[in-house]
Amino acid sequence: RVKESGRNGIQLFTPAMGEEARSKLSRIEELRRAVERNEFVLHYQPQKNISSGQVIGVEALVRWQHPVEGLLLPGTFIPLAEETGLVVLIGDMVLREACRQARAWQDQGLPPLRIAVNVSARQFLENSLIDQVASALQAAGLDPQWLELELTESLIMRDVEGAIERMHALKELGVSIAIDDFGTGYSSLSTLRRFPLSRLKIDRSFIADIPEKAGDMAITSAIVSLGRTLELEVVAEGVETEEQAQFLEGAGCEMFQGFLFAKPLPASEVGNLIAKLVAQTG
Ligand code: C2E
Ligand code: MG
Ligand code: MG
Ligand code: MG
């Protein structure tokens, strides 16, 4: 817990504080500064259609360009951003930048790509979310059909009725919704069908041990059939080997995202990659 004191809220260091609390507080201060200075950059990981070989979309993944420590992955700061609420501001920048970039690629003549943006729990529950999304789309001049929001299964299962309502409001803007890290929560078929979804993303943990773990292969196949039953597209995350890709194709999963095809890359590199693919396949 952050200690409140004085007019301006937060008192930084007191002698009684343990080392851990101090370093956490200084991290929070750094993160706050990073928001003010916008030290965040987006990398984009392509999603590939296995049979056509085409890139159908990209996922925007935030990184913190830390002035001293270099490029930091979201796992090192998103939890703290979530805890402090700064994730709402970071999420807003991410949305704006992702929409701007998607439009910029279109303006460069690339075939339109769906851009997926991760939405955190705090951000999803914030009343301003719908306005944030609408405003990001408008500022970028991006047609909403190209934006997809990724919500985690655990987030939407926390308050099913509330999530359904919010998701309908988002759908009304014209954006699509995917469930991220699917398979790790406890959604029932009957609950799932109530959400206005377009896509399920199979959690990386089920893909990682294919083909060694028969159980994971069974779960993966089951998610793919669930997707078919609900008429949802299914994307597998974290595909690293040819064998995994082949298993997925055999199971009927058409789309994947993973190091096998591409790591998350800076915008310019993704643009080049896609331009090259277009030149090859037409
Ligand atoms: P996620 O949304 O499930 O994103 C996929 C993560 O898996 C990314 O990690 C990506 O680099 C990694 N990945 C993709 N393919 C492979 C693979 O083949 N092998 C392995 N080992 N990893 C792979 P990253 O970029 O570190 O992001 C981690 C998580 O941070 C994301 O998981 C997402 O939950 C969160 N995150 C990222 N960007 C944002 C953001 O803008 N806002 C919020 N709220 N959360 C974000
Ligand atoms: Mg995601
Ligand atoms: Mg995921
Ligand atoms: Mg994940």
Side-chain angles (χ1 to χ4, degrees):
R1 287 264 101 190
V2 168
K3 239 182 136 182
E4 299 285 335
S5 87
R7 281 182 301 143
N8 296 324
I10 296 161
Q11 180 182 338
L12 268 188
F13 305 111
T14 69
M17 253 176 212
E19 189 54 44
E20 206 177 304
R22 281 166 182 252
S23 72
K24 183 170 174 182
L25 276 186
S26 65
R27 200 60 165 173
I28 293 172
E29 267 322 297
E30 279 183 52
L31 199 54
R32 229 183 272 290
R33 249 194 329 264
V35 169
E36 277 164 22
R37 298 179 187 169
N38 194 0
E39 293 173 351
F40 301 98
V41 294
L42 296 185
H43 282 185
Y44 299 88
Q45 188 177 33
Q47 299 172 337
K48 189 183 181 179
N49 182 303
I50 298 177
S51 44
S52 77
Q54 268 166 351
V55 174
I56 38 122
V58 295
E59 178 176 9
L61 295 157
V62 71
R63 276 91 181 89
W64 177 4
Q65 186 64 65
H66 190 284
V68 179
E69 294 164 42
L71 202 64
L72 302 179
L73 292 174
T76 67
F77 63 90
I78 289 288
L80 192 59
E82 180 84 26
E83 198 184 318
T84 53
L86 287 167
V87 78
V88 176
L89 296 172
I90 296 171
D92 192 43
M93 292 189 221
V94 168
L95 261 173
R96 286 173 182 282
E97 176 59 14
C99 291
R100 190 201 60 74
Q101 184 60 61
R103 174 63 201 250
W105 279 322
Q106 290 181 14
D107 290 345
Q108 283 165 33
L110 293 182
L113 293 170
R114 191 179 59 230
I115 191 143
V117 172
N118 293 284
V119 175
S120 78
R122 278 290 269 270
Q123 213 184 343
F124 186 65
L125 299 173
E126 199 73 18
N127 284 325
S128 56
L129 177 72
I130 311 293
D131 288 342
Q132 264 190 11
V133 173
S135 151
L137 286 164
Q138 212 215 344
L142 183 70
D143 187 320
Q145 68 169 310
W146 302 115
L147 177 64
E148 176 170 86
L149 301 175
E150 294 193 0
L151 308 172
T152 62
E153 187 183 8
S154 58
L155 164 62
I156 62 176
M157 295 311 289
R158 234 182 272 169
D159 166 20
V160 170
E161 300 307 323
I164 290 172
E165 200 177 308
R166 176 108 343 166
M167 283 158 88
H168 277 292
L170 288 167
K171 290 289 288 190
E172 267 171 41
L173 294 178
V175 305
S176 60
I177 298 171
I179 302 195
D180 204 357
D181 303 345
F182 188 76
T184 55
Y186 300 91
S187 328
S188 65
L189 185 58
S190 58
T191 308
L192 259 186
R193 64 186 304 174
R194 300 183 56 211
F195 294 117
L197 297 173
S198 307
R199 215 175 323 278
L200 299 178
K201 297 187 75 181
I202 307 176
D203 191 66
R204 181 150 63 85
S205 62
F206 298 110
I207 309 299
D209 297 319
I210 291 175
E212 290 80 23
K213 287 202 180 147
D216 288 355
M217 292 163 84
I219 292 170
T220 299
S221 298
I223 296 175
V224 175
S225 354
L226 179 67
R228 198 171 298 129
T229 306
L230 294 171
E231 298 181 324
L232 302 175
E233 283 181 6
V234 178
V235 183
E237 289 191 311
V239 177
E240 295 184 353
T241 70
E242 200 55 62
E243 236 172 335
Q244 290 164 350
Q246 268 162 25
F247 169 78
L248 287 162
E249 196 177 9
C253 179
E254 283 275 88
M255 279 174 276
F256 79 89
Q257 183 179 339
F259 295 173
L260 176 64
F261 179 54
K263 295 200 166 179
L265 300 166
S268 60
E269 288 178 41
V270 175
N272 292 341
L273 177 78
I274 292 166
K276 210 161 79 189
L277 280 174
V278 171
Q280 280 167 9
T281 61

